[in-house]
Amino acid sequence: MKHNEYSAKQIQVLEGLEPVRKRPGMYIGGTGLEGLHHLIWEVVNNSIDEAMAGYCDHVTVELLKDQWIRVSDNGRGIPVEVHEKTKKSTLETVMTILHAGGKFDKGGYKVSGGLHGVGVSVVNALSKWMRVEVKRDGWLWSQEYIRGLPKSEIQKEKKAAGTGTVTIFDPDPDIFPKIKWKKSKILEYLRHQAYLTK
Ligand code: 0RA
């Protein structure tokens, strides 16, 4: 049994994002309006989990030009140190490996109790472009991705006070035939989550 559990973990670590782009519906339910909005839910849910863990009390969702979305929180920031299994930063690991954001990385961190999300790497896989900024350990860190692949190593940008995570993404038109956010739908979801979250 020990041997099998070990093998399963290894497989999880090695799983890239190709299956997500190949069969997006398996991960977000479809590529129509509902599936598109799932991208926001996935990112926001990570911030809400951070709030439920007691480390975050502000989550902002902004609709930017050209249908880009920005989600910001004032949580601890996604860890950036080298991940022992992947030898990459934990940020890159979470963003580029399927399921890497689950219990495998976070220990007892998830407390939402509801359905576990598919992970923010799925959003990354289905985005033409994505950027994550993390403030922690006194620095602003960033990394950008194109269709789930890092454009470069994680960048240590500049000294910065405070902590938090900012995620900006631009959904991939090769995946989503129509990219138009429905403000009323986003507000309804956010109000519902705000009601459910302390
Ligand atoms: C795991 C551990 C730690 C932070 C997070 C996850 C985290 C993830 C996201 C995703 C969006 N916003 C987030 N904020 C935090 C921190 C572990 C530590 O500092 O000891």
Side-chain angles (χ1 to χ4, degrees), residues 46-47 50 73 76-79 106 109 136 165:
N46 284 290
S47 298
E50 187 69 353
D73 71 52
R76 291 169 293 177
I78 299 174
K106 294 184 180 177
Y109 164 75
R136 63 180 279 147
T165 304

Side-chain angles (χ1 to χ4, degrees), residues 42-51 55-56 71-79 81 90 94-95 101-102 105-107 109-110 120 132 134 136-137 164-167:
E42 199 54 51
V43 177
V44 164
N45 287 351
N46 284 290
S47 298
I48 294 175
D49 281 345
E50 187 69 353
Y55 297 104
C56 163
V71 178
S72 317
D73 71 52
N74 65 343
R76 291 169 293 177
I78 299 174
E81 76 280 354
T90 302
V94 166
M95 296 309 298
D105 262 310
K106 294 184 180 177
Y109 164 75
K110 281 252 181 187
V120 74
V132 181
V134 170
R136 63 180 279 147
D137 310 327
T165 304
V166 177
T167 305

Side-chain angles (χ1 to χ4, degrees), residues 16-168:
L17 296 176
E18 307 78 42
V20 182
R21 289 188 59 84
K22 216 167 273 175
R23 305 183 73 189
M26 292 269 294
Y27 300 87
I28 55 166
T31 55
L33 195 70
E34 287 295 329
L36 178 70
H37 284 73
H38 258 283
L39 301 182
I40 297 185
W41 313 161
E42 199 54 51
V43 177
V44 164
N45 287 351
N46 284 290
S47 298
I48 294 175
D49 281 345
E50 187 69 353
M52 291 182 80
Y55 297 104
C56 163
D57 64 4
H58 273 79
V59 181
T60 305
V61 178
E62 294 161 279
L63 182 44
L64 309 178
K65 60 153 173 93
D66 299 336
Q67 304 293 309
W68 295 12
I69 295 284
R70 177 161 60 210
V71 178
S72 317
D73 71 52
N74 65 343
R76 291 169 293 177
I78 299 174
V80 292
E81 76 280 354
V82 172
H83 192 280
E84 61 173 81
K85 286 177 188 151
T86 62
K87 313 294 181 205
K88 312 262 189 189
S89 71
T90 302
L91 176 64
E92 179 169 333
T93 303
V94 166
M95 296 309 298
T96 61
I97 295 179
L98 203 51
H99 302 315
K103 52 186 188 270
F104 149 76
D105 262 310
K106 294 184 180 177
Y109 164 75
K110 281 252 181 187
V111 293
S112 61
L115 279 177
H116 277 194
V118 289
V120 74
S121 64
V122 166
V123 180
N124 194 19
L126 303 178
S127 294
K128 189 171 74 174
W129 177 86
M130 187 154 178
R131 174 181 173 85
V132 181
E133 298 177 349
V134 170
K135 273 196 286 175
R136 63 180 279 147
D137 310 327
W139 292 86
L140 173 67
W141 309 82
S142 72
Q143 192 171 37
E144 295 186 9
Y145 315 86
I146 293 180
R147 297 186 168 93
L149 301 175
K151 278 179 75 177
S152 63
E153 304 263 284
I154 184 171
Q155 304 292 308
K156 190 176 184 176
E157 298 231 11
K158 59 184 183 187
K159 288 193 173 168
T163 63
T165 304
V166 177
T167 305
I168 308 157

